[in-house]
Amino acid sequence: MGIREKLNEKPAITTGVTIGIIVIAFAFILYQVFGGDGSSVTIPDQFYTVDEGATRFTDDPSRAAPFQHEGKEAVRAFVYTCDENKTSFVGYLERLSPEAKKKYDALPATSADSPPSLEADTIMSEGSEVKKPKVGKWVKRNSAEGEKITNVTCPNNTGVAQMVEP
C-alpha cells in the first residue's frame, strides 16, 4: 500500500499535517520579516581625515562631515588601491556644503539603527561637495567637475582603482 492510500484512509491526520506545515511556513516568514538576527543591516565604518588624506581614521558612517575630531575638521575620505600589495591612497574627499550641513544638523535626531529619512538623503545627495586631496577647491559632487573628481584612476595608469573599505 502506497502513501496516497494511507493518506486517503486517515483524512484527519492528513489535514493535521498539512495545517502544521502551513503554520511552520507562516512562522518562518514572520520571523524573517519582523525580527530574525539578520533583520537589521549594519553599515561598516567609513574613512575620515583631518589633514587632506595624509592620515585617516574610521568612524560611524552616519556622521555628516564635516565634524570636529580632536579639535580639527574631519571630512570623509574615499580610499582606493591599485595593486596586489594593497597600497592605498585617498582618491577624493567629501563633505556637506556649509548650507547643507546646517540643514542636516537641524533635522530631528534618529537612532543609529533607523534608516536616514528621505529629507536627510536629499540633503546628503544635493549638498555634497568633493575635492582631490591637497589640490583644488570644493565643488558640488553632482556636477561635471565633481564627476571627474569621483572618477578615480590609478597613478600612471597602473591598473584599475578599487575602493577599500575599513
Side-chain angles (χ1 to χ4, degrees):
M1 185 185 301
I3 294 175
R4 175 171 267 178
E5 288 83 17
K6 289 214 182 238
L7 292 175
N8 286 337
E9 285 178 12
K10 303 189 183 203
I13 293 175
T14 303
T15 303
V17 169
T18 302
I19 290 172
I21 290 171
I22 291 170
V23 168
I24 290 170
F26 188 67
F28 179 76
I29 290 169
L30 288 176
Y31 177 76
Q32 291 295 316
V33 171
F34 293 111
D37 289 339
S39 67
S40 64
V41 175
T42 303
I43 300 172
D45 284 351
Q46 300 296 315
F47 287 113
Y48 297 91
T49 183
V50 294
D51 54 10
E52 293 280 322
T55 61
R56 48 194 182 252
F57 62 94
T58 59
D59 204 335
D60 182 352
S62 67
R63 299 204 59 188
F67 59 86
Q68 290 297 306
H69 177 76
E70 297 178 356
K72 296 179 182 176
E73 186 177 86
V75 296
R76 177 126 184 246
F78 286 79
V79 180
Y80 290 82
T81 186
C82 290
D83 59 27
E84 41 199 57
N85 296 330
K86 300 296 182 196
T87 305
S88 61
F89 64 96
V90 175
Y92 64 95
L93 307 173
E94 181 184 60
R95 71 173 189 187
L96 286 177
S97 69
E99 301 81 25
K101 178 72 168 149
K102 284 179 190 172
K103 288 179 186 176
Y104 188 88
D105 289 344
L107 293 174
T110 59
S111 71
D113 294 337
S114 64
S117 68
L118 181 59
E119 188 175 6
D121 279 344
T122 302
I123 292 169
M124 294 293 276
S125 149
E126 295 175 0
S128 290
E129 298 178 324
V130 294
K131 76 182 277 302
K132 290 286 186 189
K134 303 177 187 170
V135 181
K137 59 182 174 126
W138 292 98
V139 300
K140 285 193 152 293
R141 181 184 183 110
N142 55 0
S143 68
E145 289 177 85
E147 192 172 315
K148 287 179 188 173
I149 289 170
T150 60
N151 185 15
V152 178
T153 58
C154 293
N156 304 321
N157 294 320
T158 56
V160 176
Q162 296 179 337
M163 189 180 289
V164 176
E165 292 186 10

